[in-house]
Amino acid sequence: MTMERVTEPDWVEHVIWWQIYPLGFVGAHPADPPPTADEHRIRRIVDWLDYAVELGASGLALGPVFASRSHGYDTTDHYRIDPRLGDDADFDHLVSEAHQRGLRLLLDGVFNHVGTDFARYRDAVDGGDTSWFRVRGGTFANFEGHDGLIALDHRNPEVVDYTVDVMRHWLGRGADGWRLDAAYAVPDSFWAEVLPRVRAEFPQAWFVGEVIHGDYGAHVRRAGFDSITQYELWKAIWSSLNDANFHELDWTLTRHNEFLDTFVPLTFIGNHDVTRIASMVDNPAHVEHALAILLTIGGTPSVYAGDESAYRGVKEERFGGDDAVRPEFGSPHEGVGEHGQQVFRAHQHLIGLRRRHPWLHTARTAPLHVTNHGYVYAARDGDNTLIVALNVADEPMPVSLSELGFGTAEMVAGSGAPPPDVVAEAVVPAHGWLVLVPR
């Protein structure tokens, strides 16, 4: 059954996020000694804004920027910029410079838990009011076994009011939306109380919940998110490429179409919490396949900083295991080899294609040809169509447009950057890909 669609701000149709993890990006964490506010490190991000525009991005998605002790997800003061990054004036400067370039700004809000230096928690530990926290048998509940992340009690109306006020505060300072960290661990009823009150003052704000598993559509309907992180698709993209099993991707895109009946997911092939796509795929040539999928299907795409230049990095399940995927950045294009430059150009080209076809935001896909090693699908919205052909075999893959129900098509993108040409028959190179527009 087709559900009534959740509305989202009009500007989201056109946004392509470039995601940054600020504490790592500017070398503020891990760092010994940590930088101080008078180093104004968050201003280093301003030096990369022209690069983001050059890439084709139209939004900057920031990881945590609020006061914390370590990685940013142990917030100690939601109203204060992390002193390792700078101060309020530095944040205002970043917002101003981003908006001058037409870049939207997304903040990362941690409202499931707080750090152990959070003032109300310190007071509670010292015998004060414990009502803001989940206490079981005299013990403060934490987030997924992390002693430094203290779980809030989302049934407390004061916690609701606090979250509303924090969100409004930073939207009033120029943010355009919020990523809601660990939204899956928070009752949907909490967001259903919070978000309408924030939207009442900021109707053009966008809210995306971090949800890993489960019924994404149900969360959207119950909580009122505009979007949810599409982890199912992320997994299917890299594993179908590695396993030469495009049936998995095809099945997941069927699910993806169903999500689009309710909301437009946040789509990605990399972020600050997962192994980088260049390290995740077994064959370096397949990084571009993953990118081609990301930018030719429905969704609100996000590119994790460094992935556009084929940065490598493996996430490990240990203390400090995220550091490899959250490195410090020097200057744009610094140390990027030939493969990285090629991947950057592919990003530019495919992002440009995406921006020329904004209807892809809500496009549904339909399989035209599926084997283990080859996949051809159509992305459609109304009268608009793109044909995408992916090949992970060691041999070229012929594509007959007439057999797929088309006449001729123009090749607009592909591995090896084929010149624009109108064809009735196409050949996808071994481990190559093509994007065609039917005529």
Side-chain angles (χ1 to χ4, degrees):
M1 182 175 71
T2 299
M3 306 302 297
E4 181 181 351
R5 185 175 177 69
V6 174
T7 57
E8 63 179 13
D10 293 342
W11 58 266
V12 180
E13 176 185 359
H14 302 281
V15 78
I16 294 171
W17 297 109
W18 190 54
Q19 187 209 348
I20 283 178
Y21 174 75
L23 289 166
F25 193 91
V26 304
H29 175 78
D32 187 21
T36 55
D38 57 9
E39 294 182 44
H40 309 287
R41 291 227 183 166
I42 200 170
R43 290 182 179 245
R44 293 187 187 180
I45 296 173
V46 174
D47 297 336
W48 284 78
L49 296 181
D50 289 336
Y51 170 93
V53 172
E54 177 191 5
L55 177 67
S58 53
L60 184 66
L62 295 177
V65 296
F66 308 119
S68 72
R69 177 185 284 185
S70 61
H71 45 57
Y73 291 98
D74 52 342
T75 316
T76 57
D77 187 345
H78 289 86
Y79 293 99
R80 183 186 181 202
I81 295 298
D82 196 309
R84 293 172 294 173
L85 295 174
D87 55 28
D88 272 12
D90 298 322
F91 176 80
D92 292 342
H93 177 64
L94 174 59
V95 171
S96 174
E97 292 292 324
H99 284 173
Q100 283 179 31
R101 291 165 174 81
L103 294 168
R104 298 278 179 170
L105 200 71
L106 187 70
L107 294 180
D108 200 345
V110 188
F111 300 111
N112 174 66
H113 49 266
V114 296
T116 53
D117 288 339
F118 190 71
R120 278 188 171 271
Y121 175 68
R122 298 285 3 134
D123 179 63
V125 169
D126 291 339
D129 178 19
T130 63
S131 67
W132 274 44
F133 308 98
R134 279 180 259 162
V135 182
R136 298 167 185 160
T139 302
F140 288 91
N142 60 38
F143 174 59
E144 297 183 349
H146 299 284
D147 292 340
L149 305 178
I150 309 303
L152 290 166
D153 186 343
H154 298 96
R155 298 167 299 181
N156 185 335
E158 291 184 9
V159 175
V160 173
D161 292 344
Y162 175 80
T163 304
V164 169
D165 193 67
V166 170
M167 285 189 175
R168 285 175 175 169
H169 174 80
W170 294 104
L171 290 169
R173 294 282 293 273
D176 295 285
W178 286 92
R179 172 195 179 270
L180 304 172
D181 181 68
Y184 59 88
V186 178
D188 288 333
S189 56
F190 174 80
W191 303 116
E193 287 188 73
V194 168
L195 298 182
R197 292 172 56 185
V198 181
R199 283 195 180 98
E201 188 171 341
F202 297 97
Q204 284 296 300
W206 184 67
F207 304 94
V208 53
E210 183 199 16
V211 179
I212 314 297
H213 308 291
D215 187 339
Y216 293 166
H219 280 297
V220 167
R221 290 188 295 273
R222 292 192 301 251
F225 305 131
D226 291 304
S227 184
I228 277 180
T229 50
Q230 226 305 27
Y231 268 95
E232 285 188 13
L233 180 67
W234 162 77
K235 190 270 179 183
I237 290 174
W238 60 259
S239 66
S240 64
L241 293 169
N242 282 349
D243 297 344
N245 179 15
F246 277 126
H247 297 283
E248 178 188 1
L249 178 61
D250 184 58
W251 184 89
T252 304
L253 286 175
T254 301
R255 289 259 301 170
H256 190 68
N257 286 342
E258 295 169 0
F259 297 144
L260 286 161
D261 290 337
T262 306
F263 70 101
V264 180
L266 177 70
T267 51
F268 58 94
I269 52 175
N271 66 29
H272 64 295
D273 278 330
V274 299
T275 290
R276 287 191 179 272
I277 189 65
S279 294
M280 191 67 91
V281 295
D282 298 334
N283 186 330
H286 296 166
V287 172
E288 290 189 18
H289 293 63
L291 179 67
I293 299 164
L294 174 69
L295 292 171
T296 58
I297 62 170
T300 302
S302 176
V303 174
Y304 182 46
D307 283 359
E308 74 279 357
S309 295
Y311 278 29
R312 299 181 65 83
V314 176
K315 176 186 172 75
E316 299 177 8
E317 296 300 328
R318 59 174 178 80
F319 180 76
D322 294 311
D323 296 350
V325 297
R326 304 175 179 180
E328 182 174 0
F329 280 61
S331 57
H333 303 293
E334 176 187 341
V336 175
E338 183 177 343
H339 176 61
Q341 292 171 357
Q342 175 186 328
V343 170
F344 183 84
R345 289 191 296 269
H347 274 77
Q348 285 183 306
H349 192 75
L350 283 163
I351 290 173
L353 180 71
R354 176 76 173 212
R355 296 185 68 168
R356 291 191 299 277
H357 298 85
W359 56 267
L360 283 165
H361 182 64
T362 53
R364 309 307 201 270
T365 57
L368 302 176
H369 172 76
V370 190
T371 67
N372 284 342
H373 290 82
Y375 189 38
V376 184
Y377 63 86
R380 292 191 178 100
D381 186 85
D383 295 333
N384 298 299
T385 304
L386 284 183
I387 301 170
V388 181
L390 308 168
N391 181 19
V392 295
D394 294 333
E395 305 82 26
M397 181 178 75
V399 176
S400 170
L401 291 165
S402 61
E403 290 180 7
L404 300 178
F406 299 92
T408 59
E410 180 183 3
M411 293 192 292
V412 294
S415 46
D421 196 9
V422 176
V423 298
E425 308 279 337
V427 176
V428 186
H431 300 283
W433 57 276
L434 284 177
V435 180
L436 307 101
V437 178
R439 299 300 292 260

